[in-house]
Amino acid sequence: MHPHLNVMANHKSALKRIRQNEARKLRNRYYHKTARTALKVLRNEEDKTAATEQLPKVISLLDKLAKKNIIHKNKAANLKSKLTKHVNGLA
């Protein structure tokens, strides 16, 4: 059993489930944080050409997160819309 997982599970399958959940939680947290950073970078971008170049990558990232249910699909859609408006609004 993992030392940092102080759990009182009685079944082998339950212990495995706890390990899986922990691994997934860490992975999802990493993906979510990466996405937030990418959004921040794009929002702070002043140069239109650089922003236009970044936008498809960020949109792709959001779509992947929505597909994996890390963020809600409507939230992804709202963010994509807002970012596209932001990029189009740059001089």
Side-chain angles (χ1 to χ4, degrees):
M1 193 165 95
H2 275 274
H4 68 278
L5 296 176
N6 52 347
V7 290
M8 288 294 298
N10 290 321
H11 295 278
K12 204 171 181 180
S13 60
L15 290 169
K16 181 177 178 180
R17 176 65 61 202
I18 289 162
R19 289 196 308 271
Q20 286 176 329
N21 289 342
E22 183 68 18
R24 287 179 184 142
K25 184 176 85 175
L26 293 173
R27 193 177 311 129
N28 289 344
R29 190 190 292 160
Y30 168 75
Y31 288 146
H32 204 162
K33 182 63 181 165
T34 307
R36 281 201 302 259
T37 308
L39 290 170
K40 195 176 193 178
V41 168
L42 183 55
R43 281 196 192 108
N44 293 334
E45 187 61 64
E46 298 295 325
D47 181 31
K48 183 157 178 135
T49 52
T52 310
E53 207 174 280
Q54 284 176 359
L55 185 65
K57 292 173 188 162
V58 175
I59 285 177
S60 168
L61 190 70
L62 289 170
D63 284 336
K64 285 175 191 165
L65 292 183
K67 189 178 178 184
K68 293 176 186 169
N69 274 328
I70 294 168
I71 59 172
H72 196 275
K73 64 184 173 79
N74 290 356
K75 180 182 177 73
N78 289 337
L79 285 170
K80 290 191 301 189
S81 166
K82 205 170 255 191
L83 287 170
T84 306
K85 277 183 176 175
H86 169 71
V87 170
N88 290 339
L90 290 174

